[in-house]
Amino acid sequence: MTLPFDKGSGEGSQKFMVMRGMTADNFDPVRYSGRWFEVASLKRGFAGQGQEDCHCTQGVYTFNMEAPSIQVDTFCVHGGPDGYITGIRGKVQCIPEEELEEKETDLEKREMIREKCYLRFPTLPFIPKEPYDVIATDYNTYSLVSGAKDRSFIQIYSRTPNPGPEFIGKYKSYLAKFGYDPNKIKDTPQDCEVMSDSRLAAMMSMSGMQQALTNQFPELELTAPVQFNPFTSVFDTLKKLVQLYFK
């Protein structure tokens, strides 16, 4: 649930939004919107599959007040700066405020766990929803995001691609308070040419990128058969498709 609040009065007043369900106090999805660079992460289990070789991971967040929800366009470059780009579009929504206490378990109340927001991929309905919790953020420099019910998935975001080792070390240590092992959180290489916001917006609006984000692939016109292993993960299969498409 999002609630509008008036802050102050007169000409200097402003309105801000609050999205309930995040650990971050009075989480404001409007201030959170925009571009974030992943500078370190821990990604184990299902949620981290297909991202092992990612460089230059970043996300563009857009708040939809009507839904209400946050659209998340995430992409990375595989293998290095000259690799191929993959991306996916998700949607973050939270349990309505009136259901929050009703669905909170005794354990969650004791441990103050508030994983009541979820990330879904509407164009991939066979992928289960995953918890999405902004643990802490100042909106201008950093954001710490949990993406699993346990301690297997955490991301450290920055508004700039290379904030420096002190910045990354500071927030790795901070996450220890939440039960994460700082030594298992690995730096994410941000070694690509950084696009301006206008160039990024132009790239995101291209039909090919929109098709990739929403998993709509045109005919590949392959000259030879391709074998897919049904026992591999969904993400491995999608990755193979993207490689074929962008060859």
Side-chain angles (χ1 to χ4, degrees):
M1 175 175 287
T2 54
L3 302 171
F5 289 90
D6 287 314
K7 187 176 183 179
S9 58
E11 293 184 2
S13 67
Q14 64 182 98
K15 287 191 175 182
F16 63 98
M17 304 296 298
V18 171
M19 197 171 193
R20 305 296 186 190
M22 302 288 189
T23 296
D25 290 336
N26 297 324
F27 177 74
D28 186 341
V30 176
R31 293 178 64 197
Y32 192 75
S33 296
R35 190 178 184 184
W36 288 99
F37 296 87
E38 181 193 280
V39 294
S41 69
L42 168 64
K43 296 176 180 176
R44 295 183 304 191
F46 180 80
Q49 292 184 17
Q51 302 181 55
E52 298 85 357
D53 63 343
C54 273
H55 288 232
C56 312
T57 302
Q58 52 191 288
V60 179
Y61 294 75
T62 308
F63 178 56
N64 180 348
M65 192 171 177
E66 298 296 323
S69 65
I70 302 174
Q71 178 178 292
V72 185
D73 290 336
T74 307
F75 57 92
C76 78
V77 182
H78 290 271
D82 299 322
Y84 62 94
I85 298 175
T86 62
I88 192 167
R89 173 168 292 165
K91 179 189 289 186
V92 175
Q93 289 182 296
C94 298
I95 293 175
E97 178 74 9
E98 60 269 18
E99 298 178 26
L100 201 56
E101 289 189 16
E102 178 186 327
K103 295 190 176 183
E104 194 170 28
T105 65
D106 290 338
L107 174 64
E108 288 174 329
K109 289 176 182 176
R110 282 199 310 272
E111 300 296 328
M112 297 179 68
I113 299 170
R114 295 180 64 82
E115 292 174 338
K116 295 295 185 267
C117 298
Y118 296 92
L119 174 64
R120 300 174 183 271
F121 300 100
T123 59
L124 296 172
F126 48 86
I127 295 181
K129 66 181 182 181
E130 293 287 346
Y132 189 95
D133 185 17
V134 178
I135 294 175
T137 184
D138 68 352
Y139 304 101
N140 298 318
T141 61
Y142 82 95
S143 175
L144 309 176
V145 178
S146 169
K149 293 180 180 178
D150 54 19
R151 299 294 180 265
S152 63
F153 192 102
I154 191 72
Q155 294 169 291
I156 299 176
Y157 278 116
S158 168
R159 286 292 193 186
T160 58
N162 292 293
E166 288 186 10
F167 176 98
I168 296 172
K170 173 183 176 180
Y171 291 110
K172 284 182 180 180
S173 298
Y174 180 79
L175 285 169
K177 300 177 183 178
F178 294 88
Y180 294 94
D181 183 348
N183 296 317
K184 293 181 179 179
I185 302 173
K186 305 302 181 184
D187 294 2
T188 302
Q190 288 287 345
D191 48 2
C192 304
E193 178 187 356
V194 180
M195 292 185 185
S196 65
D197 288 346
S198 58
R199 281 185 62 196
L200 177 65
M203 184 192 81
M204 298 289 283
S205 65
M206 292 172 61
S207 60
M209 192 64 183
Q210 289 295 311
Q211 288 174 334
L213 287 169
T214 55
N215 303 290
Q216 301 173 38
F217 296 96
E219 293 294 331
L220 294 173
E221 299 180 2
L222 300 176
T223 56
V226 177
Q227 182 178 0
F228 293 105
N229 184 350
F231 297 104
T232 57
S233 73
V234 171
F235 285 107
D236 286 339
T237 302
L238 288 173
K239 184 176 173 181
K240 198 168 185 180
L241 280 170
V242 171
Q243 285 176 304
L244 289 168
Y245 176 59
F246 286 106
K247 249 181 182 178

